[in-house]
Every structure is written in structure tokens, then in C-alpha cells.
Amino acid sequence: MSINRVTPSPLEQTVVDHLSTAVMLFGADLCLKYLNPAAEMLFQFSARHVVGLHAGNVLPCPGTQVERRLRDALTSRHPFTERELNVVLLDGRTITVNCTVLPLHHFDAEPEILVELHQVDRQLRITREEHLLSQHQATQALIKGLAHEIKNPLGGLRGAAQLLERELPDPGLREYTRIIIDEADRLQALMNRMIGSNRMPTRAKVNIHTVLEHVRGLISAEFPSGPQVRRDYDPSLPELSADQDRLIQAFLNIARNAAAATGAHGLVKLRTRVLRQFTIGSRRHRLVLLTEISDNGPGIPEEIKDQIFFPMVSGHPGGSGLGLPIAQDLINQHGGLIECESRPGDTHFYVYLPLEPEHA
């Protein structure tokens, strides 16, 4: 099919068929007349099944009026570009694309409209990860500096309270110095947790499923009445070089939050997969281990979604807000990253860990 109503040459047809950009052509009635192989791959459907369908069925975009926008473009003859447009695929997945619409008007034929779609999910994810990593590093530097400044006077305060306790003749007054000492110790422990360990990870060959089974056992002991924990493991996964204790702590922090969010009748899922040629931050890895921890709880409140990896931010009453920042730091020490997607009834934490050695 020709885009400009002229029979295309073999070279022109080859060029359009081999474009990496998805190209779709709609008629004046907004029914699909043509799509190239890149569009078939993007939407995961065959041309023979969708040619003739209306644009609203081919390009389902929640929150947008596709038909009205395309008709306006045909009428005004003005092209437009819509960036970061969410398109729902037939299998329910949502992809993000940049969409360019170009009206085509011919003297001897009905007008048509050309739609170009360029998927940007990968670029957006990489940008988001780089921002998350730099944000985490800046936060950690600030927290460590602040914690050191707090720990110094805490030590002096505790020492002065101990000296005062020895000099007090009335044992009843020593209760007050004991409160000072205990509270200083509590704050000291909090600062140590915020700073984290300065020791480098002690790496050894680790089976991720051994780690997850240990975490599952701890969650079952801590929440004996539920929730249900369901496993979906890939048994072909290779071992990775990691500090097992730190991985257990990181996954336990995430799983504990999931179990607390769902309650006794909820469901927590543990899932493992391998990803190939995957980028974490700005570095591309040949093999990456994906561990997914999901739950069907109420979800993360909208107002703190972008802050859950900041210290002292918690969606649970009485929570310390340190579990996720510590987990992120422990995974970062292994060259990995934690991401989160959440909506009511469906929360997913994705933990990415490189499988190849650091020197590879």
C-alpha cells in the first residue's frame, strides 16, 4: 500500500518496512489502512487482523480522545506531536510512546493521516533509574554527614550522664540519668542504622532462592496468621556473587512491608527471572537477576510514592521509615537497584542484581 497514493517502488517499500519507528496509516474514516512491521512488533498483532479497525480500537490511550485529536488534525491540516503517551496493548500491558501525527491531503483522493510511534519506555526507565541512584547517593551523603554530627555530642552527653550518675547521693535521682543514657543509646543505634555498615560486602556464591526461602521462613514466623506467600521461581537461574546476609536483610525489609500491608488474608508473591542485555542506571549488563516481591495490599499512598526510599518516610503508622532506604543501600552495594510500582491492590518491588562479575 502506498502512503502517498502512488504505487511504491521496491526500494520505498523496503525502507518503510525496515524502519524501527512504528508507522500507521489511517483513512479519512479513521480506519487503519496500513502498518509496517515495526508497528506489528510494537503492538504484538498481525496486520491482517487489525487493518480496517477504527483508530480508537487500535490506539487505546486512557485519558485521551484519540478520535477527536485525529479528526482535528485532518480538518486543520496541522501535524502535532504527543510525548509520553500511554497506550494499552491487547494483553493489558501499557507502553509509553512519543506519537507524531501528520495529515496527508491529496488533490485527487481522500485525505489520510500518518501516525508515527516511537517507544520511549526504555529511555524513561534509564533516566528514572539514573535519577533514583543519584538521589539515593546524595541522600546517603547528607544522612551520613548529619548522623556523624549528631553522634559526637551524643557521646559527650552519655559520658556526662554517667559521671553525674556516680556523683548523685540519692538513688532516686539516678533514674533520670538512666533515662538520659538509655535515650542516648537509642539515638546512637538509630544513627548507626541510618549510616549503615562501612564494611564492604563479603561476597561468595549465593543461590537467590536460598535467600528468598530464608526470608519466607522469617516472614511466616513473624506473621503466623498470614498472609499467604506464593512462589514463582526460575530454577535455571545461576548463582550470583553476593553477601548473603545483606541480601537477606534487603529482601526481608521489602517482604516485611508487603506482609504488613496485606494483612492476614492477603497475598505476597516472590518471583525470580533472568533479564538479558539489561541496563541498570547507566551501565548495561549481559545478565541481570530480577527478583519481584508483590502484594495485593492497599498500595503506597500517592503523596509518598516518590519518597519511599528516603529515610524517615513511612506509609505505616509507627514505622521508622528506614527499611526501604537500607534495602536500597544494600542492593546498591552489589551494583543493583530497587524500583517500585504501586496502585491500590497491586504493589510490585523489582530488585535488579547483575549476574556477571564486576570486572566482566
Side-chain angles (χ1 to χ4, degrees), residues 47-330:
R48 66 175 181 272
H49 293 142
V50 294
V51 168
L53 295 181
H54 193 269
N57 296 322
V58 182
L59 292 171
C61 305
T64 62
Q65 298 178 335
V66 174
E67 181 178 352
R68 181 183 62 80
R69 296 292 304 276
L70 294 181
R71 287 199 183 281
D72 289 346
L74 278 174
T75 303
S76 65
R77 302 192 178 189
H78 290 157
F80 70 88
T81 297
E82 187 85 24
R83 299 194 181 277
E84 298 183 18
L85 187 67
N86 292 324
V87 179
V88 180
L89 302 182
L90 294 177
D91 61 3
R93 291 186 301 114
T94 300
I95 60 172
T96 305
V97 299
N98 287 342
C99 173
T100 299
V101 174
L102 178 66
L104 303 175
H105 290 265
H106 317 284
F107 293 106
D108 57 346
E110 67 175 16
E112 296 171 318
I113 192 160
L114 184 71
V115 177
E116 297 179 50
L117 300 167
H118 181 65
Q119 189 173 3
V120 295
D121 297 78
R122 182 177 178 82
Q123 290 85 344
L124 289 174
R125 185 185 63 79
I126 292 173
T127 301
R128 185 176 66 248
E129 287 181 357
E130 289 178 340
H131 175 69
L132 185 61
L133 284 170
S134 62
Q135 191 180 62
H136 179 71
Q137 290 165 359
T139 302
Q140 283 297 107
L142 175 63
I143 290 297
K144 287 183 178 182
L146 181 61
H148 281 300
E149 290 299 318
I150 293 174
K151 285 175 69 177
N152 290 333
L154 272 180
L157 183 66
R158 189 183 191 281
Q162 286 177 317
L163 291 174
L164 180 60
E165 186 177 44
R166 295 174 190 167
E167 298 298 327
L168 288 174
D170 185 354
L173 295 177
R174 293 177 188 173
E175 179 183 349
Y176 300 109
T177 56
R178 179 49 49 188
I179 290 174
I180 296 173
I181 293 171
D182 290 345
E183 287 302 294
D185 288 341
R186 186 180 64 82
L187 288 174
Q188 183 89 352
L190 177 62
M191 292 300 102
N192 289 336
R193 289 180 62 198
M194 293 177 70
I195 292 175
S197 174
N198 292 322
R199 180 176 60 85
M200 293 298 293
T202 303
R203 293 178 181 265
K205 289 294 183 181
V206 176
N207 185 316
I208 191 62
H209 300 139
T210 301
V211 171
L212 294 177
E213 284 301 287
H214 186 80
V215 169
R216 188 177 70 89
L218 294 174
I219 291 298
S220 298
E222 188 172 344
F223 300 88
S225 59
Q228 177 188 355
V229 180
R230 187 177 299 169
R231 295 162 288 176
D232 180 10
Y233 295 159
D234 181 352
S236 67
L237 288 178
E239 293 182 329
L240 72 155
S241 176
D243 187 318
Q244 180 164 313
D245 290 339
R246 297 194 183 192
L247 289 189
I248 288 174
Q249 184 63 59
F251 287 116
L252 179 60
N253 288 359
I254 300 171
R256 182 181 284 138
N257 284 351
T262 59
H265 304 291
L267 174 64
V268 175
K269 296 180 183 177
L270 306 177
R271 180 174 176 267
T272 59
R273 291 294 185 270
V274 66
L275 304 175
R276 302 180 186 278
Q277 301 300 330
F278 191 83
T279 302
I280 299 176
S282 58
R283 183 174 176 183
R284 190 175 182 85
H285 298 273
R286 185 172 60 87
L287 289 175
V288 166
L289 167 66
L290 166 63
T291 303
E292 180 182 342
I293 301 177
S294 59
D295 67 76
N296 61 352
I300 298 171
E302 195 69 32
E303 60 271 17
I304 65 169
K305 268 187 181 179
D306 297 331
Q307 306 168 28
I308 58 173
F309 294 109
F310 287 174
M312 316 309 288
V313 175
S314 175
H316 302 297
S320 68
L322 292 177
L324 291 179
I326 290 174
Q328 184 73 275
D329 188 47
L330 294 173

Side-chain angles (χ1 to χ4, degrees), residues 25-56:
L25 183 69
F26 295 91
D29 57 357
L30 299 187
C31 290
L32 182 64
K33 303 175 72 173
Y34 166 80
L35 73 162
N36 69 345
E40 291 182 284
M41 291 182 62
L42 178 65
F43 289 97
Q44 298 183 356
F45 49 49
S46 172
R48 66 175 181 272
H49 293 142
V50 294
V51 168
L53 295 181
H54 193 269

